[in-house]
């Protein structure tokens, strides 16, 4: 984006196991720096120190945080140090805001405090607390009986994809499932009301409390295919209204990336189908959905650079009421006809190689396998690969030929077990 707009771009990233990341080889970067990862022993001191050194050495005007979930709060700490000790402006929320949005239960509490809808959520630190909530739900004979799912407050790759509904069919099954969850005062979990409906995610750039760019798309537990909702769709406008209200009502002039996960709660009424948006999580960091803004480099660069000229914003006031649906996006950048995105490495494994093993084991029929192959071919022919650019092909080549083989080899030599990976972000899920 910034390279397209003619700016100097300095890249910096963590490099696990010493394996060079693919981004360091991009033509868009004038220089690249490897950063030390925050650790439990040393905290974020070395990470922030190196960031500050880079900012001062390169005379960086704007720092755009693109780190993952594991360093969310540390990025908030870095923002405060960079803005206090340099002239650099950070596209990153402060520590208090990041912590409140990053933790699942505090996000729900904050959302409710703003007068916005949110599902029932309980912060639990013991198995007894879990059963207390479950036992308080309506009995089996009641139509309104609630079900819940458990999520770790921290980063727990082993349980990340576990979407078991509670309570289970029998009390003994419920107790057995809960007994296997590593829950304690130092390892809290949240028990969140289960909402049956389609999942969506959003990505927004917020500058001084104002939404500068926004996109919404269908989501999944491990999202690797990106298709933007039309900005004119009712769902997209509803999610934008929620995001606007959240940013406008939150204290302080928010500047950073604001991404939400929503579930659409559907119920049949006398008037027809009633749909209610329920926010279930917030990601106070850059979302991979930003790829949908590809082709709008100069416009996105201008949106980011508007942070260099802060405009006072009065918080606590109600957001403007717009009678014209088309005015919802006034002054907000949104992709109108973006490409659909996939990652070739992910699709080859999930649509071609793994289905072959399932087919040979008799777990999958030939028709299902052919459908997967057709989907892969469709993506290759008509979608856009998320990393590949004709003018900048080396990062794509490095990602599949060097980076991932290097990560797998290092994991094997280090005895680290893993269950899956996110090809687009470089995330390895341990087990």
């Amino acid at each position: 984006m910034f390279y397209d707009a003619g700016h100097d771009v300095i890249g910096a990233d963590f490099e696990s196991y010493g394996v060079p990341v693919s981004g360091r080889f991009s033509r868009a970067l004038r220089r690249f720096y490897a950063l030390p990862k925050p650790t439990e022993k040393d905290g974020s001191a070395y990470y922030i120190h190196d960031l500050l050194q880079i900012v001062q050495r390169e005379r960086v005007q704007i720092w755009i945080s693109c780190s993952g979930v594991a360093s969310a709060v540390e990025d908030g700490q870095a923002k405060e140090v960079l803005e206090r000790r340099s002239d650099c402006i950070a596209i990153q929320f402060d520590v208090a805001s990041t912590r409140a949005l990053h933790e699942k239960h505090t996000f729900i509490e904050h959302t409710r405090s703003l007068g916005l809808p949110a599902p029932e959520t309980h912060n639990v630190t013991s198995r007894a607390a879990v059963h207390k909530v479950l036992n308080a739900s309506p009995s089996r004979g009641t139509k309104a009986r609630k079900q819940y799912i458990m999520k770790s407050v921290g980063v727990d790759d082993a349980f990340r994809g576990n979407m078991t509904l509670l309570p289970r069919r029998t009390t003994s099954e419920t107790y057995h499932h809960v007994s296997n969850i590593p829950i304690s005062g130092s390892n809290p979990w949240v028990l969140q009301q289960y909402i049956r409906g389609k999942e969506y995610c959003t990505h927004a750039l917020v500058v001084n409390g104002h939404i500068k760019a926004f996109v919404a798309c269908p989501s999944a537990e491990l999202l690797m295919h990106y298709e933007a909702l039309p900005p004119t769709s009712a769902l997209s406008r509803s999610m934008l209204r929620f995001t606007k209200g959240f940013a406008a009502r939150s204290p302080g002039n928010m500047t950073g990336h604001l991404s939400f996960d929503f579930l659409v709660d559907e119920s049949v009424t006398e008037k027809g189908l009633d749909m209610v948006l329920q926010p279930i999580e917030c990601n106070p960091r850059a979302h991979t959905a930003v790829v949908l803004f590809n082709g709008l480099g100069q416009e996105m660069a201008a949106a980011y650079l508007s942070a260099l000229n802060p405009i006072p914003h009065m918080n606590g006031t109600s957001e403007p009421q717009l009678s014209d649906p088309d005015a919802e996006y006034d002054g907000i950048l949104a992709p109108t006809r973006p490409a659909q995105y996939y990652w070739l490495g992910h699709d080859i494994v999930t649509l071609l190689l793994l289905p072959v093993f399932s087919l040979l084991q008799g777990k999958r029929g030939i028709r299902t396998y052919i459908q997967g192959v057709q989907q892969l071919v469709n993506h290759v022919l008509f979608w856009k690969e998320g990393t590949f650019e004709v003018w900048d092909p080396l990062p794509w080549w490095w990602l599949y030929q060097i980076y991932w083989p290097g990560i797998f080899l290092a994991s094997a030599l280090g005895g680290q077990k893993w269950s899956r990976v996110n090809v687009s972000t470089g995330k390895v899920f341990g087990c």
Side-chain angles (χ1 to χ4, degrees):
M1 294 178 182
F2 287 92
Y3 175 80
D4 289 343
H7 298 281
D8 279 346
V9 184
I10 308 299
D13 201 353
F14 308 128
E15 293 190 324
S16 300
Y17 303 110
V19 180
V21 297
S22 59
R24 71 152 55 226
F25 302 102
S26 174
R27 291 177 56 191
L29 301 183
R30 182 167 65 81
R31 188 168 290 115
F32 178 89
Y33 292 89
L35 292 170
K37 220 170 191 177
T39 63
E40 291 185 9
K41 179 182 178 181
D42 300 319
S44 58
Y46 292 113
Y47 167 57
I48 296 174
H49 173 270
D50 282 16
L51 268 180
L52 181 60
Q53 291 292 311
I54 295 169
V55 166
Q56 293 174 337
R57 182 184 304 120
E58 300 288 350
R59 298 181 181 179
V60 174
Q61 292 179 292
I62 187 168
W63 172 58
I64 301 175
S65 168
C66 298
S67 299
V69 60
S71 60
V73 176
E74 287 82 357
D75 285 339
Q77 295 170 346
K79 171 220 172 58
E80 296 180 359
V81 172
L82 293 181
E83 293 189 340
R84 186 171 63 248
R85 300 180 58 182
S86 75
D87 295 328
C88 179
I89 297 296
I91 305 298
Q92 166 68 42
F93 303 126
D94 58 26
V95 174
S97 297
T98 301
R99 184 173 282 116
L101 301 179
H102 172 67
E103 304 291 358
K104 299 175 180 64
H105 64 290
T106 53
F107 161 64
I108 294 297
E109 291 172 358
H110 180 64
T111 301
R112 285 178 176 161
S113 73
L114 300 178
L116 296 170
E120 179 186 338
T121 303
H122 303 269
N123 186 41
V124 290
T125 57
S126 67
R127 295 180 180 87
V130 174
H131 293 300
K132 182 179 180 180
V133 174
L134 297 179
N135 293 335
S137 63
S139 62
R140 186 178 298 276
T142 305
K143 291 184 178 180
R145 182 187 185 225
K146 295 179 181 178
Q147 288 183 297
Y148 302 84
I149 55 175
M150 290 192 68
K151 303 176 182 179
S152 175
V153 169
V155 180
D156 193 324
D157 293 342
F159 285 87
R160 178 184 171 93
N162 192 321
M163 303 297 287
T164 302
L165 294 181
L166 299 173
R168 303 289 292 157
R169 187 173 59 86
T170 66
T171 302
S172 61
E173 288 178 350
T174 300
Y175 272 81
H176 176 71
H177 177 80
V178 174
S179 68
N180 290 322
I181 296 176
I183 182 172
S184 65
S186 59
N187 186 30
W189 287 59
V190 293
L191 197 61
Q192 190 170 79
Q193 179 186 352
Y194 172 70
I195 298 170
R196 191 182 306 275
K198 294 181 179 179
E199 186 174 351
Y200 297 87
C201 65
T202 63
H203 170 80
L205 169 63
V206 186
V207 176
N208 297 311
H210 296 279
I211 309 301
K212 295 294 185 178
F214 179 86
V215 69
C217 59
S219 187
E221 197 277 319
L222 181 60
L223 183 59
M224 291 300 301
H225 298 140
Y226 287 84
E227 300 178 78
L229 290 176
T232 55
S233 70
L235 271 175
S236 182
R237 291 202 304 266
S238 294
M239 287 184 271
L240 174 58
R241 280 195 296 271
F242 178 94
T243 305
K244 278 184 171 181
F246 193 97
R249 300 179 192 182
S250 294
N253 289 335
M254 298 184 74
T255 295
H257 298 112
L258 191 60
S259 302
F260 295 110
D261 290 338
F262 292 96
L263 283 172
V264 179
D265 190 5
E266 299 180 350
S267 59
V268 179
T269 65
E270 294 180 354
K271 297 181 180 180
L273 185 63
D274 184 32
M275 296 192 298
V276 178
L277 278 178
Q278 293 281 9
I280 57 173
E281 285 188 20
C282 176
N283 299 301
R285 53 189 170 273
H287 194 290
T288 313
V290 72
V291 71
L292 295 167
F293 287 96
N294 195 16
L296 296 172
Q298 294 195 12
E299 295 87 343
M300 280 294 284
Y304 277 107
L305 292 174
S306 66
L308 298 177
N309 300 300
I311 301 174
H313 176 67
M314 296 299 292
N315 295 108
T317 58
S318 60
E319 59 275 13
Q321 300 298 313
L322 302 174
S323 57
D324 181 6
D326 293 332
E328 201 80 59
Y329 276 86
D330 279 357
I332 298 175
L333 182 65
T336 53
R337 299 180 64 184
Q340 299 161 301
Y341 286 85
Y342 78 105
W343 274 262
L344 182 62
H346 174 85
D347 278 13
I348 287 178
V349 172
T350 60
L351 298 178
L352 188 64
L353 299 182
L354 290 180
V356 166
F357 295 129
S358 297
L359 182 65
L360 295 176
Q361 294 173 347
K363 298 179 180 180
R364 183 186 299 247
I366 185 66
R367 178 176 298 180
T368 304
Y369 174 73
I370 292 175
Q371 289 174 346
V373 173
Q374 290 174 335
Q375 185 180 0
L376 172 60
V377 172
N378 179 66
H379 288 174
V380 172
L381 294 179
F382 303 109
W383 287 36
K384 190 175 187 315
E385 218 282 338
T387 306
F388 181 77
E389 293 288 350
V390 173
W391 62 272
D392 193 19
L394 186 54
W396 177 82
W397 180 87
W398 189 273
L399 180 69
Y400 295 119
Q401 302 300 322
I402 307 295
Y403 177 77
W404 279 117
I407 291 296
F408 293 145
L409 177 61
S411 297
L413 294 177
Q416 180 186 354
K417 296 181 179 179
W418 54 272
S419 58
R420 53 184 179 162
V421 301
N422 185 321
V423 176
S424 65
T425 63
K427 167 72 173 175
V428 178
F429 297 88
C431 58

